[in-house]
Amino acid sequence: MRATFNEPTITAAPKARIEPAAAIDAIHSTPRETSRRMVLARGAISFTCFAAALYLGDHWVGRELEHLYFHQQSGDDWNTTETLMHSEADIEIFGDSRGSHHYNPKVIEEYLDHKVTCHNGSRTAQTILYSDAVQKALLERHKPRLIILDLNPAATVKLANAAERLSVLSPYYDDVPAIQPILESRSPYERFKLLSHCYRFNSRLPTLLKYTLQPETSDLKGHKPLIGQFPPRAFLIPNDSPTADQVPALIDPALERALVSFVQRANAAKVRVILVSSPIHGLSFERTSEALALKALEGLDFQWWDYLEDSRFYGHTEKFFDRAHLKGAAAEEFSRIIADRVKPVLTRPVLAQKSAR
Amino acid sequence: MLFNSIDFIVFFPIVVALFFALPHRLRWMLLLAASYYFYMCWKAEYALLILASTMVDYYAALRMQRSEKHKRFYLGLSLVSNLGMLFGFKYFNFFNESARALFDQFNVFYDVPAFDVLLPVGISFYTFQTLSYTIDVYRGKHEAESHFGIFALYVAFFPQLVAGPIERPSHLIPQFKKKQIFDPALAGSGLRLMLYGLFKKLIVADRLSVYVDTVYAAPDVHSWVTLTVATVFFAVQIYCDFSGYSDIAIGASRVMGYDLMINFRRPYFSKSLAEFWRRWHISLSTWFRDYVYISLGGNRRGYWRHLLNLSAVFLISGLWHGANWTFVVWGAIHGAVLCLSILTRDWRESLPGYQWLSNHQRIHHTLQIITVFTIVNIAWIFFRASNVTEAATIVSRIFTLAGDGFFTGDVAALGHALFAVGLLAGLEAFKEWELGRFGFDWLGQFSIVRSIGCAAAVILILLLGVFDGGQFIYFQF
């Protein structure tokens, strides 16, 4: 009863505190203005609800996806996580699809009597920009004894959306500080976009679901062997391949800079670096761009091993999946060749490398 | 500037805030400046073309109103200058190349050089919009606008400048003169429409384009199944790309209180080709109806003339879309099928099964929708292919069931595409069959539900949208 008795006093108090100007406004405001204020207030409430729902939803969905993402046990994303955050291999391999398909770490380890560990951190549909970014993050955490970069002969040739392809690294924006500037440099607004937790997993949902629901059982340490073969047309050299004199105009300075920075960083960390031109089925313009890429590396400390036109592979259709990629069995053969050549290198002092074929 | 760019996300709120902060008498200046800035972000010097077109039509319309005697002359001036500009920038090289090919057939020397110039974005849209003004003034349907700034804004209004909807002066110009008061409900509705447009563009159209582009890049090596899927995907892609743009344009205008005409009404649910054209690119269809078809006599000059007029309109409409024979064939297919449907109407209605079908509406409508969709898809093949020979190869491979297997490409990309198509089909069916009446409309009345729905849509775009998908298809027209 007492509480009920006191109620009018409590509700009356705020009324007494209304600012004089506001009170005058309230007296003079017409019903139309009042209803307009109501409409504006409702709009403001709706917007606040939207902003709150967006913030909470983005945070919640993003966190759930992050959990799923970092609990994958196979697939490309898992392999990137391994390279960036866990790999402590003695030999770390970098590259694009050719790197991923051509080097079998298990074969290399076996050939070297399991005295060294090896991991393949290459990723399909990526460029030297990816290798550069991942190597940067790796070297801040761990220094391998040897880094192998599969030098795609067209590694520095302009490619559509080369920088956009780095979006696969967005999930690591918080966890791997080394890649933050690389991701932010993709566009002036990228740092704002990356504030969204969901945006970091943009386009990753199908693969995330696939490898979460159906993980691959075999662990090939990042290697992806190719089985089967493309139809004969996959071996044809494209008709629109540029001529040698057209190639210099096709070189992307950003890709060239990434290649130089890749080798420079390894040199600075005193880690041996070997660039390998792995086998190809048939050549078109690649040697011209490759020569330009190697010229850009002049003065740096690295070795270049050239197997691009190796007679054991070149033109052997039965060993290739398509014009640029070896089949799984041929990749094992090639990995043995590499392991054989790696063996003496590992025993040499780090700064005794020479740019040699 | 693209609607699907961060630049626009920054630009638009600034324009809206300034718009409502300024007194009404200054707003046209702001919108005009914003519209020219919007256009000049792409290629600054081409804004001079819009300005030239605006000045000619402003002058021509005023003169038409003042002097009945010279009306025809000033209409001619407007038509020649606008269509001349369109011809010069868009069609000269096409006709030049076609003439060269023709002369080569007869071994006649032909050496008119090509006009090496970039096609100004949106030229077909703004020339048609400004033409509708001069024609309406000529016909006495609309008063000549004496305020140059308002007229210039009518030509260049940024939401619909580069890809429509193609507005009419009687609908848009009075709106610029009326004081717009910020209405949160209207602004909310506009923003939701913009969001739906972005969903269509970023999640559906740009996802599908990956598969479509890959298949159409080498159609001779793909099987009929792959080509059919790619063509259906293209049908959805172009719908989402273009209607998505229109939705964003209409939504952006609505936020500022302006009402633009509806451009699409779920066209793939059409039960006849005529209905398809009442639902697809409505602003262009009605433009051709009002200014070409009716001018040619419409259906008032006899049966055969009616059919001829229809065919002519569709051929011109095809050519409007692009300077390539593929677009002409695309228009011809639509025109031919429409004429055929008129010619065979009585015969079709006398067929034995027709009565039965008429009594079974659902089956009848489903069959009609499938038939129209199939015809539209066959025509889309010509629209998408690089040349007529390539389109013919695709049609022949599909109809002869050539090739085996199905090209999946990047499985993840295909998964995205299928999900996007499924989601869109669900949303469109929801609207078409008014499924909202089963409680959803009631739920939608609550602002909190709408807010959560919008937040969910933004999250979906962040997760599944393509953020480097590039420009809208209709920009090239």
Side-chain angles (χ1 to χ4, degrees):
Chain A
M1 284 300 284
R2 245 181 111 76
T4 316
F5 177 76
N6 283 337
E7 251 178 26
T9 325
I10 294 162
T11 49
K15 276 185 185 172
R17 283 199 293 271
I18 290 175
E19 294 294 323
I24 292 163
D25 277 352
I27 292 162
H28 290 286
S29 64
T30 61
R32 200 174 158 186
E33 281 170 335
T34 314
S35 88
R36 180 153 172 73
R37 278 181 195 171
M38 292 259 297
V39 169
L40 286 172
R42 264 189 220 149
I45 291 168
S46 291
F47 181 77
T48 312
C49 284
F50 164 74
L54 181 61
Y55 176 78
L56 293 173
D58 178 71
H59 215 74
W60 175 64
V61 175
R63 289 290 173 208
E64 289 300 315
L65 289 172
E66 194 178 296
H67 176 79
L68 285 178
Y69 186 90
F70 288 107
H71 280 79
Q72 290 178 99
Q73 294 299 317
S74 58
D76 286 343
D77 295 334
W78 167 79
N79 196 40
T80 299
T81 309
E82 282 294 297
T83 319
L84 281 171
M85 301 168 83
H86 305 129
S87 173
E88 293 193 343
D90 298 314
I91 303 172
E92 192 66 48
I93 298 163
F94 291 92
D96 50 23
S97 59
R98 282 164 53 79
S100 171
H101 300 312
H102 290 186
Y103 303 85
N104 188 333
K106 288 212 159 177
V107 169
I108 294 172
E109 284 177 1
E110 274 168 24
Y111 198 88
L112 298 172
D113 302 325
H114 295 284
K115 286 178 185 161
V116 290
T117 53
C118 180
H119 177 254
N120 191 338
S122 309
R123 183 157 178 156
T124 303
Q126 286 299 329
T127 66
I128 184 69
L129 295 176
Y130 171 85
S131 298
D132 183 45
V134 174
Q135 184 231 38
K136 184 184 173 197
L138 175 84
L139 288 181
E140 286 195 2
R141 181 180 59 76
H142 159 71
K143 287 186 177 47
R145 290 170 65 191
L146 173 66
I147 284 177
I148 293 175
L149 172 69
D150 182 83
L151 183 67
N152 186 323
T156 52
V157 174
K158 280 175 192 154
L159 190 69
N161 302 333
E164 279 77 16
R165 292 170 190 231
L166 283 179
S167 64
V168 296
L169 294 174
S170 301
Y172 308 94
Y173 185 70
D174 277 344
D175 298 310
V176 185
I179 60 160
Q180 278 180 4
I182 296 165
L183 285 174
E184 287 169 0
S185 67
R186 289 168 59 219
S187 81
Y189 302 109
E190 205 58 28
R191 65 174 64 215
F192 302 108
K193 287 186 192 170
L194 285 162
L195 289 175
S196 158
H197 290 263
C198 286
Y199 176 72
R200 297 175 194 181
F201 297 93
N202 175 264
S203 305
R204 311 252 36 91
L205 214 51
T207 41
L208 191 55
L209 290 175
K210 181 187 165 194
Y211 288 108
T212 303
L213 299 171
Q214 235 178 359
E216 285 169 359
T217 46
S218 56
D219 174 19
L220 296 169
K221 298 197 162 193
H223 170 57
K224 285 171 80 176
L226 289 170
I227 300 156
Q229 197 168 49
F230 253 56
R233 67 183 163 78
F235 291 91
L236 295 175
I237 292 167
N239 291 328
D240 54 354
S241 294
T243 56
D245 54 328
Q246 288 172 329
V247 170
L250 298 175
I251 300 298
D252 184 339
L255 295 174
E256 200 172 74
R257 276 197 302 275
L259 178 65
V260 172
S261 124
F262 184 94
V263 179
Q264 271 175 343
R265 195 179 300 108
N267 287 174
K270 298 197 186 318
V271 176
R272 289 183 188 89
V273 60
I274 298 171
L275 309 189
V276 181
S277 297
S278 59
I280 197 166
H281 182 269
L283 273 168
S284 55
F285 71 96
E286 287 95 343
R287 290 254 94 150
T288 321
S289 56
E290 184 191 49
L292 290 170
L294 289 166
K295 199 177 168 196
L297 295 171
E298 268 176 9
L300 296 174
D301 191 16
F302 69 98
Q303 286 190 41
W304 173 47
W305 295 353
D306 180 16
Y307 295 94
L308 203 68
E309 294 174 83
D310 191 293
S311 58
R312 287 166 285 187
F313 300 95
Y314 192 78
H316 288 264
T317 306
E318 75 283 0
K319 293 188 176 181
F320 282 84
F321 179 79
D322 57 24
R323 193 173 78 86
H325 302 103
L326 290 170
K327 286 188 202 174
E332 285 185 18
E333 182 188 342
F334 178 65
S335 299
R336 275 191 289 274
I337 293 170
I338 291 295
D340 184 49
R341 209 164 161 189
V342 156
K343 210 172 190 174
V345 173
L346 287 173
T347 56
R348 273 188 227 144
V350 175
L351 289 172
Q353 294 184 76
K354 278 181 187 172
S355 302
R357 187 166 169 162
Chain B
M1 193 184 295
L2 297 171
F3 281 165
N4 54 335
S5 68
I6 299 282
D7 296 319
F8 185 74
I9 294 176
V10 176
F11 166 84
F12 183 62
I14 293 172
V15 172
V16 172
L18 288 174
F19 177 80
F20 286 110
L22 284 174
H24 171 62
R25 66 194 157 80
L26 299 178
R27 284 178 180 174
W28 67 267
M29 288 188 210
L30 169 79
L31 287 182
L32 190 61
S35 298
Y36 270 81
Y37 173 76
F38 179 86
Y39 192 81
M40 286 161 78
C41 284
W42 170 73
K43 198 164 172 61
E45 52 268 41
Y46 278 0
L48 290 173
L49 291 176
I50 304 179
L51 187 65
S53 177
T54 306
M55 286 162 78
V56 168
D57 289 334
Y58 175 75
Y59 174 74
L62 282 179
R63 299 296 300 185
M64 266 192 264
Q65 190 152 290
R66 275 183 211 158
S67 145
E68 192 70 27
K69 210 170 119 189
H70 297 112
K71 242 177 150 180
R72 198 175 274 266
F73 169 77
Y74 288 108
L75 176 68
L77 175 73
S78 167
L79 289 172
V80 167
S81 58
N82 283 296
L83 296 178
M85 199 166 73
L86 193 60
F87 179 84
F89 282 94
K90 190 169 175 177
Y91 298 107
F92 176 77
N93 285 342
F94 167 65
F95 285 112
N96 192 27
E97 280 306 310
S98 301
R100 192 191 308 280
L102 187 70
F103 281 111
D104 280 353
Q105 291 288 317
F106 299 103
N107 288 326
V108 178
F109 180 70
Y110 180 89
D111 191 29
V112 178
F115 185 30
D116 185 18
V117 69
L118 198 64
L119 178 70
V121 163
I123 190 169
S124 308
F125 288 90
Y126 67 74
T127 48
F128 268 42
Q129 179 150 316
T130 186
L131 276 178
S132 73
Y133 168 77
T134 43
I135 297 171
D136 277 4
V137 172
Y138 174 79
R139 288 175 175 174
K141 280 186 175 177
H142 191 79
E143 293 272 302
E145 178 55 53
S146 57
H147 192 305
F148 180 75
I150 294 282
F151 176 67
L153 182 57
Y154 162 74
V155 180
F157 187 43
F158 77 85
Q160 41 89 249
L161 170 61
V162 288
I166 303 167
E167 276 294 338
R168 305 303 158 78
S170 52
H171 185 232
L172 194 56
I173 290 178
Q175 293 189 59
F176 291 136
K177 295 179 174 172
K178 192 183 150 204
K179 186 181 176 184
Q180 304 294 348
I181 296 164
F182 181 70
D183 180 349
L186 202 61
S189 146
L191 289 171
R192 283 196 295 277
L193 194 57
M194 289 174 81
L195 195 59
Y196 189 50
L198 280 174
F199 161 79
K200 282 180 179 170
K201 167 69 179 163
L202 299 178
I203 295 190
V204 189
D206 288 347
R207 283 282 167 214
L208 294 176
S209 74
V210 178
Y211 187 84
V212 175
D213 291 350
T214 312
V215 174
Y216 268 77
D220 51 328
V221 299
H222 289 291
S223 72
W224 70 276
V225 182
T226 306
L227 289 167
T228 307
V229 170
T231 303
V232 172
F233 275 9
F234 178 67
V236 181
Q237 181 201 344
I238 195 164
Y239 166 65
C240 287
D241 195 284
F242 193 18
S243 72
Y245 185 93
S246 293
D247 286 345
I248 299 170
I250 296 166
S253 307
R254 196 180 288 172
V255 171
M256 293 182 281
Y258 299 117
D259 172 44
L260 297 186
M261 69 187 293
I262 289 173
N263 219 10
F264 291 87
R265 281 191 300 114
R266 300 174 292 285
Y268 293 138
F269 285 98
S270 304
K271 293 188 272 294
S272 70
L273 205 57
E275 188 189 347
F276 175 82
W277 281 103
R278 288 193 296 272
R279 286 165 168 251
W280 177 275
H281 202 174
I282 299 165
S283 65
L284 181 73
S285 314
T286 50
W287 196 98
F288 275 113
R289 183 198 64 200
D290 295 345
Y291 301 109
V292 182
Y293 177 70
I294 289 175
S295 302
L296 290 172
N299 59 3
R300 291 163 293 151
R301 295 196 182 172
Y303 188 72
W304 295 106
R305 180 64 189 267
H306 171 212
L307 297 182
L308 190 70
N309 289 346
L310 263 182
S311 309
V313 165
F314 276 98
L315 280 176
I316 299 168
S317 165
L319 202 57
W320 177 89
H321 281 85
N324 194 326
W325 288 109
T326 50
F327 296 112
V328 179
V329 175
W330 173 77
I333 291 172
H334 277 276
V337 174
L338 259 177
C339 291
L340 208 63
S341 73
I342 294 168
L343 282 167
T344 61
R345 187 181 296 149
D346 293 342
W347 172 76
R348 279 182 289 128
E349 286 176 6
S350 67
L351 286 172
Y354 189 83
Q355 196 55 45
W356 183 87
L357 273 177
S358 300
N359 294 335
H360 295 80
Q361 289 282 307
R362 281 194 179 175
I363 298 172
H364 192 196
H365 289 168
T366 309
L367 286 176
Q368 283 176 317
I369 290 170
I370 292 170
T371 308
V372 172
F373 188 67
T374 307
I375 293 164
V376 168
N377 270 274
I378 293 168
W380 281 140
I381 294 173
F382 286 86
F383 195 96
R384 177 61 182 78
S386 334
N387 54 59
V388 177
T389 319
E390 189 182 285
T393 308
I394 297 170
V395 174
S396 106
R397 285 185 75 80
I398 290 175
F399 283 95
T400 57
L401 311 184
D404 297 319
F406 174 63
F407 171 74
T408 54
D410 177 2
V411 179
L414 187 66
H416 266 125
L418 288 170
F419 174 78
V421 172
L423 197 60
L424 178 87
L427 286 168
E428 294 282 287
F430 186 87
K431 283 187 188 172
E432 180 68 18
W433 295 319
E434 294 169 353
L435 301 179
R437 64 184 186 274
F438 298 113
F440 295 101
D441 286 343
W442 176 79
L443 264 177
Q445 289 174 344
F446 300 99
S447 64
I448 191 158
V449 174
R450 288 201 302 268
S451 302
I452 291 171
C454 288
V458 173
I459 288 170
L460 207 60
I461 289 173
L462 287 168
L463 275 176
L464 304 176
V466 177
F467 290 89
D468 50 3
Q471 67 177 27
F472 290 82
I473 296 175
Y474 263 66
F475 273 26
Q476 62 192 288
F477 308 139

